[in-house]
Amino acid sequence: MNGWMKLAAALFAAVSFAGCSLLKVAVATGDPLSKEQMNVRTMTRGFYYDMAGEVARAADSIVAASPDVNVRVAAVRWKIRATRAGVTAAMQGIPDVALADLWILCRRMNEGFAQAPDSLLFGLQSDIARDAALRLDRRAGRLARQVLPDDRYALMERFVTDYVRDNPASEGDETDNTTLAWLEYLRAAGVEQDYATGSIAEVLADVNDRLSGQTQQVTNSVSWSKDIFEMRLRQDSLRLQVGAQLDSLERSFNRIVVVAEHLPEISDKVLEELNRQATQLIWTMNASVDNAFADFDRQRGELQQYVTREREALVEQLRATGDELVRTTLDAVPGLVGKILLYVVLALAVLIGGPFALGFWLGGVRAKARIKNEKLKMKN
C-alpha cells in the first residue's frame, strides 16, 4: 500500500512539473434533468403560486361581499383545500406528472363549479369562484401547450380529459397522484419515458422548493383556519340573546313602575317575574360562554392535529429525498473508482512504456550507425 502511495505521489509530481493534463478527476453527480423537464418543473411550480394567489383573492372577495357566515366559511375552506391540493400536485418529483395533476385539479374545479347550483357553492357570489376556476383551467392548458412538444401536449390533453371524466371528484378541488396512470397512458401510446433523478444540485433545489411550498401552505392554512374560528365565534348568538333579554327586562321594569304606582298589591308578582327573567338571563349567559369555550377547545385540538400531520408528512418527504440522494451518490462511486484506475493505468503505460520504446528506437539507430561505419571502414 505504501509503495502504491509513493508511486501515485511521484506520478502526480511528474505530471505537475511537466505541465501536462494526463489525469482528470470528475465526481459523477447523477443524470441531470433535461432542459425540457427543468422548464416544465419551473413553469409548473410558478403556475401553482399564481393559482394559489388567484384562489385566495377570489375567496377573499366572496368573504367581503357575502353577509352569510356559512358562505364566508365555505369560501375560506375552499381556499384551504385548493391550495393544499395544488402544492401536493405541483411539488412532485416528475415534472410531467406534476403538470398533469395541477391541470386535473383546475379542470375539476372548473367543471364542478359550472355544474353545481349557487345554493351548493357560495350563494350570490358563486360566479366569482366560477370565473376564477375557468381562468385557471384555461391557463393550465396554455401552460401545457407552451412547455410541452406538440405530440406530448396532445397526449396530456387527452389524458386529462379522460381522467377527469373517469375519476370525478366530490367537491372539485381534490387531486390524485397520477404517476402510474400517466406512465401507463404513455406506454399504451407507444412512448417509453425515462425520467432522470437529476444532479445533486437539482435534487437539493427540489427539496428546498418542496419544503418552502409546504411550509407556506401550512402557514396559510393555520391563518385561514383562525379566520373560520373567528367567523364562528362572531356568529355565536350570545350577544343577541343578551341584548334581547336586556330589552325584555327594560320593558318589564317600565311596566313594573307603572303598575306599582297604581296597584301596589301586584308589585310582588311583578318582582317575582323580574327575578325569573334575571335568572334565565344568567343561565343563558353561562351556557353561551361554556359553548363558546368548548368550541374553542375543539377548534384548537383540530388545528394541533392538522399541524402535527403536516409536520410528519414534511419529515417523511425529507427522509425519502435524503435516502434517494445517498443512493444516487453511492451509485456514482464505482464509476468514479473505475475512471481513476483507468487513468492510473494509462499514466503508467505512458511513463514506463514511453521511455522503453524511446530507448529501443535509439538503440536500433545506434546499431545501424555502427554497422554503417564498419562497412565504410572495410571499403577503405
Side-chain angles (χ1 to χ4, degrees):
M1 181 62 68
N2 292 332
W4 280 104
M5 293 179 64
K6 292 180 179 178
L7 179 60
L11 175 62
F12 179 78
V15 173
S16 300
F17 288 131
C20 300
S21 300
L22 298 179
L23 181 62
K24 180 179 180 182
V25 179
V27 178
T29 59
D31 295 332
L33 294 175
S34 65
K35 182 178 180 180
E36 176 187 333
Q37 290 178 335
M38 182 59 68
N39 186 39
V40 172
R41 170 178 288 178
T42 303
M43 297 296 288
T44 300
R45 294 181 178 179
F47 173 69
Y48 155 70
Y49 290 110
D50 290 347
M51 185 210 76
E54 186 155 354
V55 170
R57 288 190 295 271
D60 293 341
S61 299
I62 295 173
V63 171
S66 177
D68 188 354
V69 67
N70 293 324
V71 172
R72 297 200 298 269
V73 170
V76 176
R77 287 178 175 171
W78 168 52
K79 178 167 58 175
I80 294 174
R81 290 195 302 265
T83 54
R84 183 189 305 165
V87 73
T88 301
M91 298 302 168
Q92 296 186 76
I94 302 179
D96 285 1
V97 176
L99 176 58
D101 284 0
L102 202 57
W103 193 356
I104 290 172
L105 171 63
C106 297
R107 178 66 57 83
R108 279 177 169 172
M109 280 199 301
N110 182 26
E111 294 184 357
F113 288 173
Q115 296 172 3
D118 293 349
S119 59
L120 297 180
L121 292 177
F122 310 106
L124 298 178
Q125 286 74 36
S126 298
D127 288 340
I128 298 176
R130 291 193 182 100
D131 294 340
L134 179 60
R135 287 194 300 270
L136 291 174
D137 187 12
R138 291 176 176 175
R139 286 189 59 187
R142 290 196 298 268
L143 176 63
R145 182 182 294 275
Q146 177 183 353
V147 300
L148 295 175
D150 293 339
D151 55 343
R152 183 62 61 86
Y153 167 75
L155 286 174
M156 184 171 290
E157 183 181 25
R158 291 196 301 270
F159 171 74
V160 170
T161 302
D162 296 343
Y163 191 87
V164 172
R165 184 190 64 241
D166 299 336
N167 300 273
S170 59
E171 298 185 21
D173 53 7
E174 295 84 3
T175 187
D176 305 327
N177 190 311
T178 61
T179 301
L180 181 60
W182 172 243
L183 294 180
E184 291 179 346
Y185 194 84
L186 290 179
R187 189 173 296 111
V191 178
E192 289 294 337
Q193 186 67 29
D194 183 16
Y195 289 102
T197 59
S199 64
I200 294 179
E202 291 170 347
V203 171
L204 292 177
D206 182 37
V207 173
N208 181 65
D209 288 345
R210 293 186 186 184
L211 289 177
S212 177
Q214 292 284 358
T215 302
Q216 181 178 354
Q217 198 279 328
V218 170
T219 303
N220 292 337
S221 297
V222 171
S223 176
W224 296 334
S225 298
K226 178 181 69 67
D227 294 339
I228 293 178
F229 172 74
E230 292 177 351
M231 293 177 187
R232 290 297 189 187
L233 188 61
R234 286 195 297 267
Q235 186 190 14
D236 197 330
S237 60
L238 173 62
R239 292 182 298 174
L240 298 178
Q241 293 181 4
V242 172
Q245 291 290 345
L246 290 176
D247 292 339
S248 178
L249 285 176
E250 183 180 5
R251 290 192 299 268
S252 298
F253 182 77
N254 292 333
R255 289 197 299 268
I256 289 173
V257 172
V258 174
V259 173
E261 290 176 352
H262 301 282
L263 299 173
E265 65 275 9
I266 305 179
S267 298
D268 293 338
K269 293 184 179 180
V270 175
L271 289 175
E272 291 178 359
E273 178 66 17
L274 177 62
N275 182 56
R276 185 185 66 80
Q277 292 190 11
T279 303
Q280 183 179 0
L281 173 63
I282 293 173
W283 288 349
T284 301
M285 293 177 63
N286 290 337
S288 299
V289 171
D290 292 341
N291 291 334
F293 279 101
D295 187 64
F296 177 78
D297 291 338
R298 182 180 61 81
Q299 292 283 350
R300 182 179 58 81
E302 293 179 356
L303 182 60
Q304 182 64 35
Q305 293 177 1
Y306 170 76
V307 172
T308 301
R309 290 194 302 268
E310 292 294 336
R311 186 186 298 114
E312 292 175 353
L314 287 175
V315 172
E316 185 62 27
Q317 289 183 2
L318 182 59
R319 184 182 296 110
T321 304
D323 294 341
E324 182 180 353
L325 179 60
V326 171
R327 287 195 300 270
T328 303
T329 304
L330 292 178
D331 292 341
V333 170
L336 174 63
V337 173
K339 289 181 179 179
I340 292 176
L341 292 178
L342 176 61
Y343 291 149
V344 169
V345 172
L346 292 177
L348 290 176
V350 171
L351 293 177
I352 297 175
F356 178 78
L358 180 61
F360 182 80
W361 179 76
L362 290 176
V365 171
R366 293 182 62 184
K368 290 180 179 180
R370 186 172 59 253
I371 293 172
K372 185 176 180 181
N373 291 332
E374 290 178 355
K375 290 181 177 180
L376 291 175
K377 289 179 180 180
M378 292 177 64
K379 289 179 179 182
N380 293 331

